[in-house]
Amino acid sequence: MTDKRAYLGRSLNQRAYDAADNAAAAFETLMRQNAAVGRLASGHTLIGFKTEALRILNEEFVSAASFALNLLDSVDGETSQAVAYFANRLVELIYGKLVICGPGTGIAEATVARELNNIKIALQERRDRVLDDFAHGMAGDQRIKSDSVVSIANTHSNSPDEAPASDRVVRIDHNSAGYRETEEALDTLEHGLKSTNDFLGEPEEKDQFVAEVSAARRLLQAARVRIAALAELLKPLLVQYVAKVKDNVIATLAAAAGAAILAWLGHIFG
């Protein structure tokens, strides 16, 4: 059973990244189609983003839930947590792809930020619904088990007890998917900071954030990094700025970067 659990974890992790790739392809196709008919910078694109995001989350979750049950025959608390974590990753990764695509629509930054945040909320609500269905033995419209599925309420929240200590030194695998996702998110954030004319703060604060994100990226290029040093650099932007300014493209990019780091290294901003 231990081998099967390890295999399940690896499979769910890869499925999450495959889902993100599928989402990116779907969003790019939608944008090309709308651009071809002259309505890229319109509400049609934003509505399409939401439709595609929810479709992919639904399809990928149902497939993964069925896979888990077929593999293990029954589901206990540990397996339920793995499935719940997978559902969380779906939300984070699909939303991350939306954040990357959003600026390419040509729609006003404030509008994009607001609508992408609404889509994220819709994804979170759908996540909660499919997890509730799974807890009651359902995947989509199909009953998957009659009596072996246990409740997974609240297992999709991160537990501080499982988080790495803030002074922990971690080894960086530069070939890992987590590193690539984090580097991509930080790169997008750094370029967004440099190019934005809509930064809600003093110019000196913007320059400071650019320097700190750049320094964090350099830290992550090393073979090992101290979590406390990384958190000290990024917390003012990824936590404090996002909390203060929600309806802003930079805040959206910062939130996406924070989600990528959280998924990769755990809760480092306590």
Side-chain angles (χ1 to χ4, degrees), residues 193 199 202-216 232-237 240:
L193 280 165
F199 182 81
E202 297 296 327
E204 293 83 359
E205 185 181 25
K206 173 182 171 180
D207 292 341
Q208 174 193 339
F209 284 161
V210 170
E212 289 172 344
V213 173
S214 178
E232 185 69 21
L233 280 171
L234 294 178
K235 185 174 181 179
L237 176 59
Q240 296 167 5

mmCIF file with all atom_site columns, all heavy atoms in Angstrom, residues 193 199 202-216 232-237 240:
data_model
loop_
_atom_site.group_PDB
_atom_site.id
_atom_site.type_symbol
_atom_site.label_atom_id
_atom_site.label_alt_id
_atom_site.label_comp_id
_atom_site.label_asym_id
_atom_site.label_entity_id
_atom_site.label_seq_id
_atom_site.pdbx_PDB_ins_code
_atom_site.Cartn_x
_atom_site.Cartn_y
_atom_site.Cartn_z
_atom_site.occupancy
_atom_site.B_iso_or_equiv
_atom_site.pdbx_formal_charge
_atom_site.auth_seq_id
_atom_site.auth_comp_id
_atom_site.auth_asym_id
_atom_site.auth_atom_id
_atom_site.pdbx_PDB_model_num
ATOM 1   N N   . LEU A 1 193 ? 6.494  44.552 -12.566 1.00 0.00 ? 193 LEU A N   1
ATOM 2   C CA  . LEU A 1 193 ? 6.855  45.698 -11.729 1.00 0.00 ? 193 LEU A CA  1
ATOM 3   C C   . LEU A 1 193 ? 7.618  46.750 -12.526 1.00 0.00 ? 193 LEU A C   1
ATOM 4   O O   . LEU A 1 193 ? 7.375  47.953 -12.399 1.00 0.00 ? 193 LEU A O   1
ATOM 5   C CB  . LEU A 1 193 ? 7.710  45.226 -10.550 1.00 0.00 ? 193 LEU A CB  1
ATOM 6   C CG  . LEU A 1 193 ? 6.971  44.612 -9.359  1.00 0.00 ? 193 LEU A CG  1
ATOM 7   C CD1 . LEU A 1 193 ? 7.944  43.867 -8.454  1.00 0.00 ? 193 LEU A CD1 1
ATOM 8   C CD2 . LEU A 1 193 ? 6.235  45.688 -8.568  1.00 0.00 ? 193 LEU A CD2 1
ATOM 9   N N   . PHE A 1 199 ? 1.432  51.316 -10.518 1.00 0.00 ? 199 PHE A N   1
ATOM 10  C CA  . PHE A 1 199 ? 1.880  50.848 -9.206  1.00 0.00 ? 199 PHE A CA  1
ATOM 11  C C   . PHE A 1 199 ? 1.321  51.754 -8.117  1.00 0.00 ? 199 PHE A C   1
ATOM 12  O O   . PHE A 1 199 ? 1.493  52.977 -8.160  1.00 0.00 ? 199 PHE A O   1
ATOM 13  C CB  . PHE A 1 199 ? 3.411  50.841 -9.135  1.00 0.00 ? 199 PHE A CB  1
ATOM 14  C CG  . PHE A 1 199 ? 3.941  50.314 -7.829  1.00 0.00 ? 199 PHE A CG  1
ATOM 15  C CD1 . PHE A 1 199 ? 4.033  48.951 -7.604  1.00 0.00 ? 199 PHE A CD1 1
ATOM 16  C CD2 . PHE A 1 199 ? 4.330  51.179 -6.818  1.00 0.00 ? 199 PHE A CD2 1
ATOM 17  C CE1 . PHE A 1 199 ? 4.511  48.460 -6.401  1.00 0.00 ? 199 PHE A CE1 1
ATOM 18  C CE2 . PHE A 1 199 ? 4.812  50.701 -5.613  1.00 0.00 ? 199 PHE A CE2 1
ATOM 19  C CZ  . PHE A 1 199 ? 4.901  49.331 -5.408  1.00 0.00 ? 199 PHE A CZ  1
ATOM 20  N N   . GLU A 1 202 ? 4.840  54.546 -3.610  1.00 0.00 ? 202 GLU A N   1
ATOM 21  C CA  . GLU A 1 202 ? 5.875  55.500 -3.976  1.00 0.00 ? 202 GLU A CA  1
ATOM 22  C C   . GLU A 1 202 ? 6.835  54.881 -4.995  1.00 0.00 ? 202 GLU A C   1
ATOM 23  O O   . GLU A 1 202 ? 7.058  53.664 -4.982  1.00 0.00 ? 202 GLU A O   1
ATOM 24  C CB  . GLU A 1 202 ? 6.660  55.922 -2.730  1.00 0.00 ? 202 GLU A CB  1
ATOM 25  C CG  . GLU A 1 202 ? 5.828  56.643 -1.682  1.00 0.00 ? 202 GLU A CG  1
ATOM 26  C CD  . GLU A 1 202 ? 5.292  57.967 -2.199  1.00 0.00 ? 202 GLU A CD  1
ATOM 27  O OE1 . GLU A 1 202 ? 5.996  58.612 -3.010  1.00 0.00 ? 202 GLU A OE1 1
ATOM 28  O OE2 . GLU A 1 202 ? 4.182  58.354 -1.805  1.00 0.00 ? 202 GLU A OE2 1
ATOM 29  N N   . PRO A 1 203 ? 7.425  55.701 -5.882  1.00 0.00 ? 203 PRO A N   1
ATOM 30  C CA  . PRO A 1 203 ? 8.396  55.169 -6.851  1.00 0.00 ? 203 PRO A CA  1
ATOM 31  C C   . PRO A 1 203 ? 9.546  54.429 -6.176  1.00 0.00 ? 203 PRO A C   1
ATOM 32  O O   . PRO A 1 203 ? 10.028 53.413 -6.691  1.00 0.00 ? 203 PRO A O   1
ATOM 33  C CB  . PRO A 1 203 ? 8.885  56.429 -7.575  1.00 0.00 ? 203 PRO A CB  1
ATOM 34  C CG  . PRO A 1 203 ? 7.764  57.407 -7.435  1.00 0.00 ? 203 PRO A CG  1
ATOM 35  C CD  . PRO A 1 203 ? 7.160  57.137 -6.090  1.00 0.00 ? 203 PRO A CD  1
ATOM 36  N N   . GLU A 1 204 ? 9.982  54.944 -5.017  1.00 0.00 ? 204 GLU A N   1
ATOM 37  C CA  . GLU A 1 204 ? 11.073 54.275 -4.305  1.00 0.00 ? 204 GLU A CA  1
ATOM 38  C C   . GLU A 1 204 ? 10.656 52.882 -3.837  1.00 0.00 ? 204 GLU A C   1
ATOM 39  O O   . GLU A 1 204 ? 11.468 51.956 -3.812  1.00 0.00 ? 204 GLU A O   1
ATOM 40  C CB  . GLU A 1 204 ? 11.510 55.115 -3.098  1.00 0.00 ? 204 GLU A CB  1
ATOM 41  C CG  . GLU A 1 204 ? 12.175 56.437 -3.454  1.00 0.00 ? 204 GLU A CG  1
ATOM 42  C CD  . GLU A 1 204 ? 11.163 57.539 -3.744  1.00 0.00 ? 204 GLU A CD  1
ATOM 43  O OE1 . GLU A 1 204 ? 9.943  57.270 -3.680  1.00 0.00 ? 204 GLU A OE1 1
ATOM 44  O OE2 . GLU A 1 204 ? 11.604 58.667 -4.038  1.00 0.00 ? 204 GLU A OE2 1
ATOM 45  N N   . GLU A 1 205 ? 9.379  52.740 -3.471  1.00 0.00 ? 205 GLU A N   1
ATOM 46  C CA  . GLU A 1 205 ? 8.887  51.433 -3.033  1.00 0.00 ? 205 GLU A CA  1
ATOM 47  C C   . GLU A 1 205 ? 8.870  50.456 -4.207  1.00 0.00 ? 205 GLU A C   1
ATOM 48  O O   . GLU A 1 205 ? 9.235  49.283 -4.061  1.00 0.00 ? 205 GLU A O   1
ATOM 49  C CB  . GLU A 1 205 ? 7.483  51.565 -2.444  1.00 0.00 ? 205 GLU A CB  1
ATOM 50  C CG  . GLU A 1 205 ? 6.945  50.263 -1.844  1.00 0.00 ? 205 GLU A CG  1
ATOM 51  C CD  . GLU A 1 205 ? 5.542  50.418 -1.284  1.00 0.00 ? 205 GLU A CD  1
ATOM 52  O OE1 . GLU A 1 205 ? 4.805  51.319 -1.742  1.00 0.00 ? 205 GLU A OE1 1
ATOM 53  O OE2 . GLU A 1 205 ? 5.179  49.637 -0.391  1.00 0.00 ? 205 GLU A OE2 1
ATOM 54  N N   . LYS A 1 206 ? 8.472  50.942 -5.370  1.00 0.00 ? 206 LYS A N   1
ATOM 55  C CA  . LYS A 1 206 ? 8.478  50.098 -6.564  1.00 0.00 ? 206 LYS A CA  1
ATOM 56  C C   . LYS A 1 206 ? 9.897  49.627 -6.871  1.00 0.00 ? 206 LYS A C   1
ATOM 57  O O   . LYS A 1 206 ? 10.124 48.436 -7.135  1.00 0.00 ? 206 LYS A O   1
ATOM 58  C CB  . LYS A 1 206 ? 7.903  50.876 -7.748  1.00 0.00 ? 206 LYS A CB  1
ATOM 59  C CG  . LYS A 1 206 ? 8.015  50.155 -9.082  1.00 0.00 ? 206 LYS A CG  1
ATOM 60  C CD  . LYS A 1 206 ? 7.463  51.011 -10.214 1.00 0.00 ? 206 LYS A CD  1
ATOM 61  C CE  . LYS A 1 206 ? 7.770  50.411 -11.568 1.00 0.00 ? 206 LYS A CE  1
ATOM 62  N NZ  . LYS A 1 206 ? 7.246  51.223 -12.688 1.00 0.00 ? 206 LYS A NZ  1
ATOM 63  N N   . ASP A 1 207 ? 10.869 50.544 -6.843  1.00 0.00 ? 207 ASP A N   1
ATOM 64  C CA  . ASP A 1 207 ? 12.262 50.174 -7.105  1.00 0.00 ? 207 ASP A CA  1
ATOM 65  C C   . ASP A 1 207 ? 12.759 49.154 -6.084  1.00 0.00 ? 207 ASP A C   1
ATOM 66  O O   . ASP A 1 207 ? 13.506 48.227 -6.420  1.00 0.00 ? 207 ASP A O   1
ATOM 67  C CB  . ASP A 1 207 ? 13.153 51.419 -7.073  1.00 0.00 ? 207 ASP A CB  1
ATOM 68  C CG  . ASP A 1 207 ? 12.885 52.364 -8.238  1.00 0.00 ? 207 ASP A CG  1
ATOM 69  O OD1 . ASP A 1 207 ? 12.289 51.911 -9.235  1.00 0.00 ? 207 ASP A OD1 1
ATOM 70  O OD2 . ASP A 1 207 ? 13.264 53.544 -8.141  1.00 0.00 ? 207 ASP A OD2 1
ATOM 71  N N   . GLN A 1 208 ? 12.339 49.339 -4.840  1.00 0.00 ? 208 GLN A N   1
ATOM 72  C CA  . GLN A 1 208 ? 12.734 48.404 -3.784  1.00 0.00 ? 208 GLN A CA  1
ATOM 73  C C   . GLN A 1 208 ? 12.194 47.009 -4.074  1.00 0.00 ? 208 GLN A C   1
ATOM 74  O O   . GLN A 1 208 ? 12.920 46.011 -3.960  1.00 0.00 ? 208 GLN A O   1
ATOM 75  C CB  . GLN A 1 208 ? 12.199 48.892 -2.437  1.00 0.00 ? 208 GLN A CB  1
ATOM 76  C CG  . GLN A 1 208 ? 12.420 47.909 -1.283  1.00 0.00 ? 208 GLN A CG  1
ATOM 77  C CD  . GLN A 1 208 ? 11.616 48.290 -0.049  1.00 0.00 ? 208 GLN A CD  1
ATOM 78  O OE1 . GLN A 1 208 ? 11.208 49.438 0.108   1.00 0.00 ? 208 GLN A OE1 1
ATOM 79  N NE2 . GLN A 1 208 ? 11.371 47.321 0.813   1.00 0.00 ? 208 GLN A NE2 1
ATOM 80  N N   . PHE A 1 209 ? 10.921 46.920 -4.459  1.00 0.00 ? 209 PHE A N   1
ATOM 81  C CA  . PHE A 1 209 ? 10.315 45.623 -4.736  1.00 0.00 ? 209 PHE A CA  1
ATOM 82  C C   . PHE A 1 209 ? 10.993 44.940 -5.927  1.00 0.00 ? 209 PHE A C   1
ATOM 83  O O   . PHE A 1 209 ? 11.207 43.728 -5.916  1.00 0.00 ? 209 PHE A O   1
ATOM 84  C CB  . PHE A 1 209 ? 8.821  45.782 -5.000  1.00 0.00 ? 209 PHE A CB  1
ATOM 85  C CG  . PHE A 1 209 ? 7.996  46.017 -3.765  1.00 0.00 ? 209 PHE A CG  1
ATOM 86  C CD1 . PHE A 1 209 ? 6.725  46.566 -3.853  1.00 0.00 ? 209 PHE A CD1 1
ATOM 87  C CD2 . PHE A 1 209 ? 8.474  45.694 -2.510  1.00 0.00 ? 209 PHE A CD2 1
ATOM 88  C CE1 . PHE A 1 209 ? 5.955  46.779 -2.721  1.00 0.00 ? 209 PHE A CE1 1
ATOM 89  C CE2 . PHE A 1 209 ? 7.722  45.901 -1.364  1.00 0.00 ? 209 PHE A CE2 1
ATOM 90  C CZ  . PHE A 1 209 ? 6.454  46.448 -1.474  1.00 0.00 ? 209 PHE A CZ  1
ATOM 91  N N   . VAL A 1 210 ? 11.315 45.720 -6.963  1.00 0.00 ? 210 VAL A N   1
ATOM 92  C CA  . VAL A 1 210 ? 12.012 45.149 -8.121  1.00 0.00 ? 210 VAL A CA  1
ATOM 93  C C   . VAL A 1 210 ? 13.333 44.529 -7.675  1.00 0.00 ? 210 VAL A C   1
ATOM 94  O O   . VAL A 1 210 ? 13.683 43.401 -8.054  1.00 0.00 ? 210 VAL A O   1
ATOM 95  C CB  . VAL A 1 210 ? 12.260 46.218 -9.203  1.00 0.00 ? 210 VAL A CB  1
ATOM 96  C CG1 . VAL A 1 210 ? 13.204 45.681 -10.282 1.00 0.00 ? 210 VAL A CG1 1
ATOM 97  C CG2 . VAL A 1 210 ? 10.948 46.657 -9.841  1.00 0.00 ? 210 VAL A CG2 1
ATOM 98  N N   . ALA A 1 211 ? 14.081 45.270 -6.857  1.00 0.00 ? 211 ALA A N   1
ATOM 99  C CA  . ALA A 1 211 ? 15.381 44.783 -6.387  1.00 0.00 ? 211 ALA A CA  1
ATOM 100 C C   . ALA A 1 211 ? 15.221 43.535 -5.525  1.00 0.00 ? 211 ALA A C   1
ATOM 101 O O   . ALA A 1 211 ? 16.027 42.596 -5.613  1.00 0.00 ? 211 ALA A O   1
ATOM 102 C CB  . ALA A 1 211 ? 16.092 45.885 -5.603  1.00 0.00 ? 211 ALA A CB  1
ATOM 103 N N   . GLU A 1 212 ? 14.181 43.502 -4.690  1.00 0.00 ? 212 GLU A N   1
ATOM 104 C CA  . GLU A 1 212 ? 13.991 42.360 -3.795  1.00 0.00 ? 212 GLU A CA  1
ATOM 105 C C   . GLU A 1 212 ? 13.560 41.107 -4.554  1.00 0.00 ? 212 GLU A C   1
ATOM 106 O O   . GLU A 1 212 ? 14.015 39.999 -4.242  1.00 0.00 ? 212 GLU A O   1
ATOM 107 C CB  . GLU A 1 212 ? 12.975 42.729 -2.709  1.00 0.00 ? 212 GLU A CB  1
ATOM 108 C CG  . GLU A 1 212 ? 13.547 43.723 -1.705  1.00 0.00 ? 212 GLU A CG  1
ATOM 109 C CD  . GLU A 1 212 ? 12.520 44.251 -0.724  1.00 0.00 ? 212 GLU A CD  1
ATOM 110 O OE1 . GLU A 1 212 ? 11.303 44.094 -0.977  1.00 0.00 ? 212 GLU A OE1 1
ATOM 111 O OE2 . GLU A 1 212 ? 12.928 44.834 0.294   1.00 0.00 ? 212 GLU A OE2 1
ATOM 112 N N   . VAL A 1 213 ? 12.691 41.272 -5.543  1.00 0.00 ? 213 VAL A N   1
ATOM 113 C CA  . VAL A 1 213 ? 12.296 40.115 -6.352  1.00 0.00 ? 213 VAL A CA  1
ATOM 114 C C   . VAL A 1 213 ? 13.499 39.583 -7.128  1.00 0.00 ? 213 VAL A C   1
ATOM 115 O O   . VAL A 1 213 ? 13.728 38.374 -7.217  1.00 0.00 ? 213 VAL A O   1
ATOM 116 C CB  . VAL A 1 213 ? 11.145 40.476 -7.312  1.00 0.00 ? 213 VAL A CB  1
ATOM 117 C CG1 . VAL A 1 213 ? 10.861 39.322 -8.272  1.00 0.00 ? 213 VAL A CG1 1
ATOM 118 C CG2 . VAL A 1 213 ? 9.887  40.817 -6.528  1.00 0.00 ? 213 VAL A CG2 1
ATOM 119 N N   . SER A 1 214 ? 14.294 40.504 -7.678  1.00 0.00 ? 214 SER A N   1
ATOM 120 C CA  . SER A 1 214 ? 15.500 40.099 -8.402  1.00 0.00 ? 214 SER A CA  1
ATOM 121 C C   . SER A 1 214 ? 16.465 39.357 -7.478  1.00 0.00 ? 214 SER A C   1
ATOM 122 O O   . SER A 1 214 ? 17.046 38.330 -7.853  1.00 0.00 ? 214 SER A O   1
ATOM 123 C CB  . SER A 1 214 ? 16.185 41.329 -8.999  1.00 0.00 ? 214 SER A CB  1
ATOM 124 O OG  . SER A 1 214 ? 17.376 40.970 -9.666  1.00 0.00 ? 214 SER A OG  1
ATOM 125 N N   . ALA A 1 215 ? 16.621 39.861 -6.256  1.00 0.00 ? 215 ALA A N   1
ATOM 126 C CA  . ALA A 1 215 ? 17.514 39.213 -5.294  1.00 0.00 ? 215 ALA A CA  1
ATOM 127 C C   . ALA A 1 215 ? 16.995 37.829 -4.911  1.00 0.00 ? 215 ALA A C   1
ATOM 128 O O   . ALA A 1 215 ? 17.779 36.878 -4.754  1.00 0.00 ? 215 ALA A O   1
ATOM 129 C CB  . ALA A 1 215 ? 17.658 40.084 -4.052  1.00 0.00 ? 215 ALA A CB  1
ATOM 130 N N   . ALA A 1 216 ? 15.675 37.701 -4.765  1.00 0.00 ? 216 ALA A N   1
ATOM 131 C CA  . ALA A 1 216 ? 15.089 36.397 -4.435  1.00 0.00 ? 216 ALA A CA  1
ATOM 132 C C   . ALA A 1 216 ? 15.343 35.395 -5.557  1.00 0.00 ? 216 ALA A C   1
ATOM 133 O O   . ALA A 1 216 ? 15.661 34.228 -5.306  1.00 0.00 ? 216 ALA A O   1
ATOM 134 C CB  . ALA A 1 216 ? 13.591 36.550 -4.185  1.00 0.00 ? 216 ALA A CB  1
ATOM 135 N N   . GLU A 1 232 ? 12.149 36.956 4.077   1.00 0.00 ? 232 GLU A N   1
ATOM 136 C CA  . GLU A 1 232 ? 12.442 38.350 4.418   1.00 0.00 ? 232 GLU A CA  1
ATOM 137 C C   . GLU A 1 232 ? 12.424 39.233 3.176   1.00 0.00 ? 232 GLU A C   1
ATOM 138 O O   . GLU A 1 232 ? 11.954 40.375 3.209   1.00 0.00 ? 232 GLU A O   1
ATOM 139 C CB  . GLU A 1 232 ? 13.810 38.434 5.099   1.00 0.00 ? 232 GLU A CB  1
ATOM 140 C CG  . GLU A 1 232 ? 14.168 39.820 5.619   1.00 0.00 ? 232 GLU A CG  1
ATOM 141 C CD  . GLU A 1 232 ? 13.317 40.239 6.805   1.00 0.00 ? 232 GLU A CD  1
ATOM 142 O OE1 . GLU A 1 232 ? 12.745 39.354 7.473   1.00 0.00 ? 232 GLU A OE1 1
ATOM 143 O OE2 . GLU A 1 232 ? 13.217 41.456 7.056   1.00 0.00 ? 232 GLU A OE2 1
ATOM 144 N N   . LEU A 1 233 ? 12.906 38.703 2.064   1.00 0.00 ? 233 LEU A N   1
ATOM 145 C CA  . LEU A 1 233 ? 12.920 39.469 0.817   1.00 0.00 ? 233 LEU A CA  1
ATOM 146 C C   . LEU A 1 233 ? 11.522 39.646 0.229   1.00 0.00 ? 233 LEU A C   1
ATOM 147 O O   . LEU A 1 233 ? 11.169 40.720 -0.252  1.00 0.00 ? 233 LEU A O   1
ATOM 148 C CB  . LEU A 1 233 ? 13.811 38.769 -0.215  1.00 0.00 ? 233 LEU A CB  1
ATOM 149 C CG  . LEU A 1 233 ? 15.316 38.967 -0.089  1.00 0.00 ? 233 LEU A CG  1
ATOM 150 C CD1 . LEU A 1 233 ? 16.043 38.023 -1.042  1.00 0.00 ? 233 LEU A CD1 1
ATOM 151 C CD2 . LEU A 1 233 ? 15.695 40.413 -0.400  1.00 0.00 ? 233 LEU A CD2 1
ATOM 152 N N   . LEU A 1 234 ? 10.721 38.587 0.271   1.00 0.00 ? 234 LEU A N   1
ATOM 153 C CA  . LEU A 1 234 ? 9.480  38.577 -0.497  1.00 0.00 ? 234 LEU A CA  1
ATOM 154 C C   . LEU A 1 234 ? 8.225  38.932 0.294   1.00 0.00 ? 234 LEU A C   1
ATOM 155 O O   . LEU A 1 234 ? 7.220  39.328 -0.290  1.00 0.00 ? 234 LEU A O   1
ATOM 156 C CB  . LEU A 1 234 ? 9.291  37.198 -1.137  1.00 0.00 ? 234 LEU A CB  1
ATOM 157 C CG  . LEU A 1 234 ? 10.326 36.820 -2.200  1.00 0.00 ? 234 LEU A CG  1
ATOM 158 C CD1 . LEU A 1 234 ? 10.051 35.419 -2.723  1.00 0.00 ? 234 LEU A CD1 1
ATOM 159 C CD2 . LEU A 1 234 ? 10.312 37.820 -3.352  1.00 0.00 ? 234 LEU A CD2 1
ATOM 160 N N   . LYS A 1 235 ? 8.264  38.788 1.607   1.00 0.00 ? 235 LYS A N   1
ATOM 161 C CA  . LYS A 1 235 ? 7.047  38.998 2.396   1.00 0.00 ? 235 LYS A CA  1
ATOM 162 C C   . LYS A 1 235 ? 6.433  40.390 2.217   1.00 0.00 ? 235 LYS A C   1
ATOM 163 O O   . LYS A 1 235 ? 5.205  40.505 2.091   1.00 0.00 ? 235 LYS A O   1
ATOM 164 C CB  . LYS A 1 235 ? 7.327  38.735 3.875   1.00 0.00 ? 235 LYS A CB  1
ATOM 165 C CG  . LYS A 1 235 ? 6.071  38.813 4.747   1.00 0.00 ? 235 LYS A CG  1
ATOM 166 C CD  . LYS A 1 235 ? 6.360  38.404 6.182   1.00 0.00 ? 235 LYS A CD  1
ATOM 167 C CE  . LYS A 1 235 ? 5.099  38.460 7.031   1.00 0.00 ? 235 LYS A CE  1
ATOM 168 N NZ  . LYS A 1 235 ? 5.357  38.035 8.423   1.00 0.00 ? 235 LYS A NZ  1
ATOM 169 N N   . PRO A 1 236 ? 7.229  41.484 2.190   1.00 0.00 ? 236 PRO A N   1
ATOM 170 C CA  . PRO A 1 236 ? 6.600  42.809 2.043   1.00 0.00 ? 236 PRO A CA  1
ATOM 171 C C   . PRO A 1 236 ? 5.751  42.939 0.785   1.00 0.00 ? 236 PRO A C   1
ATOM 172 O O   . PRO A 1 236 ? 4.720  43.609 0.792   1.00 0.00 ? 236 PRO A O   1
ATOM 173 C CB  . PRO A 1 236 ? 7.804  43.760 2.007   1.00 0.00 ? 236 PRO A CB  1
ATOM 174 C CG  . PRO A 1 236 ? 8.873  43.036 2.762   1.00 0.00 ? 236 PRO A CG  1
ATOM 175 C CD  . PRO A 1 236 ? 8.685  41.595 2.395   1.00 0.00 ? 236 PRO A CD  1
ATOM 176 N N   . LEU A 1 237 ? 6.172  42.290 -0.297  1.00 0.00 ? 237 LEU A N   1
ATOM 177 C CA  . LEU A 1 237 ? 5.425  42.394 -1.549  1.00 0.00 ? 237 LEU A CA  1
ATOM 178 C C   . LEU A 1 237 ? 4.346  41.322 -1.651  1.00 0.00 ? 237 LEU A C   1
ATOM 179 O O   . LEU A 1 237 ? 3.181  41.618 -1.919  1.00 0.00 ? 237 LEU A O   1
ATOM 180 C CB  . LEU A 1 237 ? 6.378  42.277 -2.743  1.00 0.00 ? 237 LEU A CB  1
ATOM 181 C CG  . LEU A 1 237 ? 5.728  42.280 -4.137  1.00 0.00 ? 237 LEU A CG  1
ATOM 182 C CD1 . LEU A 1 237 ? 4.935  43.568 -4.346  1.00 0.00 ? 237 LEU A CD1 1
ATOM 183 C CD2 . LEU A 1 237 ? 6.778  42.142 -5.220  1.00 0.00 ? 237 LEU A CD2 1
ATOM 184 N N   . GLN A 1 240 ? 2.173  41.609 2.326   1.00 0.00 ? 240 GLN A N   1
ATOM 185 C CA  . GLN A 1 240 ? 1.674  42.896 2.807   1.00 0.00 ? 240 GLN A CA  1
ATOM 186 C C   . GLN A 1 240 ? 1.067  43.732 1.683   1.00 0.00 ? 240 GLN A C   1
ATOM 187 O O   . GLN A 1 240 ? -0.008 44.312 1.835   1.00 0.00 ? 240 GLN A O   1
ATOM 188 C CB  . GLN A 1 240 ? 2.807  43.646 3.506   1.00 0.00 ? 240 GLN A CB  1
ATOM 189 C CG  . GLN A 1 240 ? 3.302  42.924 4.757   1.00 0.00 ? 240 GLN A CG  1
ATOM 190 C CD  . GLN A 1 240 ? 4.613  43.483 5.289   1.00 0.00 ? 240 GLN A CD  1
ATOM 191 O OE1 . GLN A 1 240 ? 5.132  44.476 4.791   1.00 0.00 ? 240 GLN A OE1 1
ATOM 192 N NE2 . GLN A 1 240 ? 5.159  42.838 6.303   1.00 0.00 ? 240 GLN A NE2 1
#
